Amino acid sequence: MKSYIILVLAFVILLTQNSCFREEPNNKLSQESIWKNELLLDEYVLPWYRNMDNGFSTYVTTIMKGIGREYEPWYGDQITVSRSDWYSADYGDILKSNMEGITRRARTRWSTYYTQIQSINLLLENEKEIANGEHKTRVLGEAHFFRAYYYYMLLRNYGGPLLIKNTYDPLRDNKKFPRASYEETVNYIVSEARIAAGLLQPAENSDVGRANKGVALMLIAKTYFWASGSKFQNQTKEYLGFPDDRSDAMMTEAAKAYDELMKLNYGLVQINATTKDEIVSQYRNIFLTKNTTESIWEIQHSDDGNFDTGFGHKLDRDAAAPSFGGTYAAYVPTQNHVNEYRTITGKTITEAGTDYDPANPYENRDYRFYANILYDGCSFKSHTMDIHYTKVDGTEIPGEDLVKYGSSTTATFTKTGYYLGKFVRESQKIDNDEVYASSQNCIIWRYAEVLLDYAEIDFKQGRVGDAKEKLNQIRRRVHMPEYNTVTWDDIVNERRVELAFEKSTYWDFLRWGNAEEKMTGTTNPLKGIKIVKEEGKPTTYTETIVNGKNTKMRLFRAIQYFQPIPWDEIRYHGIEQNPDWKEM
């Protein structure tokens, strides 16, 4: 088994040897030579993977880092950043609903997705030139999968896009394309993903990191699941959703795809430990282990963590507290999210009674809290996290993890009173080496999300018992008490706790249609905690507003449910722009 990244190295080595490739300049290889050579075909396919998602390599974007592709976890309400200078860059523009910044980012995404679709269309138009065999079958499967995937990304961001199924050069071809309806786009994505599922092998028979049958089935299910969202029903514009309510029909189709997917060799990674510390350690390790049986789709980061020449990343360094040499405090969980973790008996902190002690708020909580959050007094890297103030003679002295590290003027520390525990590796060295960093993969889809999606479908379609059983599979894994019955709040809470900081919680707000409330500071301000200890007195825990207390700092407008299509495309094709967007 090998990851697709290894193919790049093999290709480079081959080009340096005395081979037939020497007959043509490396940067001027003819199409014919690509279609007829397996190694060149694999090189041709690589950009489809690399452009689908940045993984952990760009989670908070700045002007220096450029505009990334999929880092929406940081625009929800579960996590924020502590670097004030980032609010003046791309991240801040999006957070503050800056129309120019959103338009610029939307234009980049549109171009990225259609560039890859053009590449895919070119290969599929030349499929007869590819020698028959297993390699051809796999490459064609990847092509159909990625054509479906990029149209799925376009659908989520823009609504109905332009369905361009063949190579297209506007400089030579004056053909114009209409916007597809939501229904047309959903059907096309599903049809392409279905072709891919028929061509690709199951994960256990595929190279690690490559698209496979399970990934294609997941895409079918996720497309229907997305289209079932309340935001996309009873729309007056056919490219923004359905003219009537298709939610139930879409959920039914999603359930069928999930049924098919669940027959494959996926399952939750089980935790066999019995003590709290062991349970927490094993749960956290799920997100540090590459390509487990729970994983359906991951971004494959380089094993050596090389950030310059490979595809490593700096998540551990960016998330590190000052006591470990961290200067970014880039990913700090909010008190909003901490409050979502229920007690060890399964009760919310407001209904827990004696099960929850406000004077000791971090005791007796869901085991996933201890795995996902670094809080005051917990142990990490053989260090007791010091995220409180000590009051001496009326002066509040900050703890070690509330004092910036080093002399950098931009160095900072957590503004919420927490640091990230999920995804970070306790053994990762944090130093000043700007080349070698972290290597853990970024999970896009995993089996727990299948269960959570299906539980939501079951609940909405009246199968409450089935929904309960799917949630309980997840809760049994983390040794939490099972539900006797479930409510909608239970469904939402379990989803947000289990999928914390992953690629789903932001998009949930959009498909549920409550993003304006959840991502606006006046209605849902981001909160932190200030802890003060004084000898002889009870410790105080005071919730604070860390940003978003006004619309200037954190705002989501109704206009943002559908991103603006580039204005050049609007004019050239003569199509309608998404509602209320003005040319900048």
Side-chain angles (χ1 to χ4, degrees):
M1 303 291 279
K2 56 185 181 296
S3 77
Y4 65 82
I5 295 171
I6 295 175
L7 295 169
V8 180
L9 301 178
F11 179 62
V12 171
I13 292 171
L14 187 58
L15 287 178
T16 61
Q17 297 173 344
N18 292 325
S19 71
C20 61
F21 292 108
R22 286 285 186 171
E23 296 176 6
E24 297 179 271
N26 298 345
N27 63 344
K28 294 183 180 180
L29 291 167
S30 67
Q31 288 184 25
E32 289 76 12
S33 61
I34 293 173
W35 312 139
K36 295 183 182 302
N37 184 276
E38 291 187 1
L39 192 56
L40 288 175
L41 268 175
D42 285 333
E43 174 75 0
Y44 186 89
V45 165
L46 277 175
W48 306 347
Y49 286 91
R50 186 59 61 88
N51 284 282
M52 62 169 284
D53 195 297
N54 280 326
F56 283 135
S57 66
T58 310
Y59 252 34
V60 172
T61 74
T62 67
I63 293 173
M64 294 298 292
K65 288 186 177 181
I67 300 174
R69 282 173 281 280
E70 285 291 301
Y71 40 80
E72 274 72 14
W74 316 129
Y75 296 118
D77 62 349
Q78 294 186 320
I79 203 164
T80 187
V81 302
S82 295
R83 285 275 296 256
S84 59
D85 56 325
W86 281 347
Y87 288 92
S88 300
D90 183 60
Y91 171 79
D93 283 345
I94 307 301
L95 196 68
K96 293 178 287 190
S97 191
N98 178 285
M99 296 293 100
E100 184 177 357
I102 294 172
T103 298
R104 181 175 64 250
R105 181 181 180 216
R107 183 170 60 244
T108 299
R109 277 187 165 179
W110 179 278
S111 175
T112 296
Y113 298 155
Y114 274 109
T115 296
Q116 301 314 311
I117 290 171
Q118 176 87 335
S119 168
I120 295 162
N121 288 343
L122 180 61
L123 182 141
L124 290 174
E125 287 178 4
N126 287 276
E127 65 176 272
K128 291 182 180 180
E129 303 299 319
I130 303 173
N132 291 329
E134 291 183 2
H135 187 269
K136 176 178 181 176
T137 301
R138 189 259 292 164
V139 169
L140 293 180
E142 288 174 297
H144 285 287
F145 167 77
F146 275 110
R147 186 153 66 176
Y149 183 84
Y150 282 114
Y151 275 115
Y152 170 68
M153 302 297 276
L154 286 162
L155 181 72
R156 287 203 307 178
N157 281 281
Y158 307 94
L162 314 177
L163 286 182
I164 302 176
K165 305 174 185 179
N166 303 100
T167 54
Y168 165 66
D169 183 355
L171 298 178
R172 299 180 180 179
D173 184 355
N174 62 0
K175 183 178 181 180
K176 307 294 191 295
F177 293 90
R179 289 193 67 173
S181 70
Y182 222 79
E183 183 171 19
E184 287 172 331
T185 308
V186 168
N187 289 341
Y188 185 66
I189 293 168
V190 169
S191 66
E192 286 293 290
R194 180 58 65 183
I195 294 171
L199 294 170
L200 296 170
Q201 294 293 315
E204 60 268 25
N205 298 329
S206 302
D207 290 341
V208 173
R210 286 195 177 278
N212 55 59
K213 182 182 182 70
V215 175
L217 292 175
M218 185 71 172
L219 179 56
I220 294 171
K222 293 301 289 187
T223 300
Y224 282 129
F225 188 62
W226 172 263
S228 73
S230 59
K231 186 65 183 178
F232 316 119
Q233 315 308 316
N234 300 305
Q235 286 279 355
T236 57
K237 299 288 187 180
E238 64 177 6
Y239 52 77
L240 300 182
F242 302 103
D244 49 8
D245 192 337
R246 305 279 183 85
S247 182
D248 188 69
M250 292 294 104
M251 286 190 291
T252 297
E253 293 302 319
K256 291 178 183 177
Y258 280 135
D259 283 336
E260 195 172 351
L261 174 64
M262 293 169 77
K263 294 176 183 178
L264 300 180
N265 192 29
Y266 297 108
L268 296 177
V269 173
Q270 295 302 313
I271 295 174
N272 300 316
T274 55
T275 68
K276 170 188 168 183
D277 288 346
E278 290 173 339
I279 293 169
V280 169
S281 176
Q282 288 188 26
Y283 182 76
R284 183 179 286 164
N285 196 52
I286 292 171
F287 306 97
L288 301 175
T289 304
K290 296 188 174 188
N291 306 304
T292 68
T293 55
E294 182 165 343
S295 172
I296 296 173
W297 192 229
E298 292 186 9
I299 304 301
Q300 305 290 313
H301 285 292
S302 303
D303 287 339
D304 65 3
N306 191 303
F307 190 74
D308 261 1
T309 60
F311 196 44
H313 57 86
K314 299 181 180 179
L315 177 71
D316 291 286
R317 182 181 303 167
D318 289 349
S323 57
F324 311 131
T327 61
Y328 287 86
Y331 318 120
V332 291
T334 62
Q335 186 67 39
N336 310 54
H337 177 55
V338 168
N339 290 342
E340 293 181 307
Y341 291 94
R342 297 181 176 182
T343 67
I344 196 65
T345 56
K347 298 179 181 178
T348 69
I349 60 175
T350 56
E351 69 182 13
T354 57
D355 290 343
Y356 173 74
D357 180 6
N360 297 285
Y362 306 135
E363 292 185 3
N364 301 319
R365 302 293 287 272
D366 187 317
Y367 290 126
R368 289 168 291 188
F369 166 75
Y370 303 105
N372 294 348
I373 311 294
L374 301 185
Y375 59 93
D376 184 59
C378 79
S379 179
F380 191 73
K381 291 182 180 286
S382 302
H383 164 73
T384 299
M385 299 299 294
D386 187 0
I387 325 177
H388 67 269
Y389 295 87
T390 302
K391 196 170 187 177
V392 180
D393 297 330
T395 300
E396 294 179 353
I397 302 170
E400 185 177 5
D401 293 309
L402 290 171
V403 179
K404 69 179 184 178
Y405 174 84
S407 58
S408 171
T409 57
T410 58
T412 190
F413 53 86
T414 177
K415 68 192 314 182
T416 65
Y418 302 102
Y419 288 95
L420 186 66
K422 190 174 183 177
F423 309 132
V424 298
R425 192 181 300 280
E426 196 162 3
S427 61
Q428 179 67 46
K429 183 179 179 181
I430 308 298
D431 55 27
N432 295 322
D433 189 334
E434 290 295 324
V435 175
Y436 293 97
S438 303
S439 61
Q440 55 267 50
N441 283 353
C442 180
I443 300 172
I444 303 301
W445 293 322
R446 58 189 177 98
Y447 191 72
E449 187 168 356
V450 172
L451 293 173
L452 289 163
D453 287 0
Y454 211 149
E456 182 176 330
I457 294 169
D458 282 336
F459 184 85
K460 288 182 175 179
Q461 293 191 324
R463 299 183 296 273
V464 178
D466 291 343
K468 179 185 69 173
E469 172 53 29
K470 290 179 176 68
L471 294 189
N472 284 339
Q473 287 185 49
I474 294 172
R475 292 179 69 77
R476 282 195 293 270
R477 188 258 291 275
V478 290
H479 296 250
M480 285 293 292
E482 297 184 21
Y483 289 111
N484 293 319
T485 186
V486 293
T487 65
W488 174 247
D489 286 343
D490 295 328
I491 297 280
V492 173
N493 182 262
E494 195 66 30
R495 185 175 186 87
R496 285 175 59 79
V497 167
E498 178 64 29
L499 300 179
F501 322 137
E502 296 185 39
K503 302 275 184 175
S504 295
T505 53
Y506 164 90
W507 295 104
D508 288 341
F509 289 153
L510 272 69
R511 65 183 181 84
W512 289 333
N514 62 354
E516 295 145 285
E517 172 197 350
K518 294 298 185 180
M519 293 194 288
T520 294
T522 52
T523 50
N524 185 30
L526 299 188
K527 296 179 180 180
I529 195 76
K530 181 180 181 180
I531 305 172
V532 180
K533 296 185 177 183
E534 186 174 4
E535 187 175 357
K537 295 184 178 180
T539 301
T540 62
Y541 297 85
T542 305
E543 289 192 1
T544 61
I545 294 177
V546 296
N547 70 40
K549 62 183 178 182
N550 57 62
T551 56
K552 292 181 180 179
M553 286 301 296
R554 186 165 175 266
L555 174 64
F556 186 95
R557 312 172 202 255
I559 190 175
Q560 291 174 247
Y561 282 102
F562 301 97
Q563 301 294 295
I565 293 171
W567 285 96
D568 286 345
E569 301 276 28
I570 296 294
R571 285 188 291 269
Y572 182 81
H573 293 285
I575 57 178
E576 289 187 49
Q577 179 61 278
N578 284 329
D580 299 324
W581 286 99
K582 307 298 181 183
E583 188 165 9
M584 307 300 294

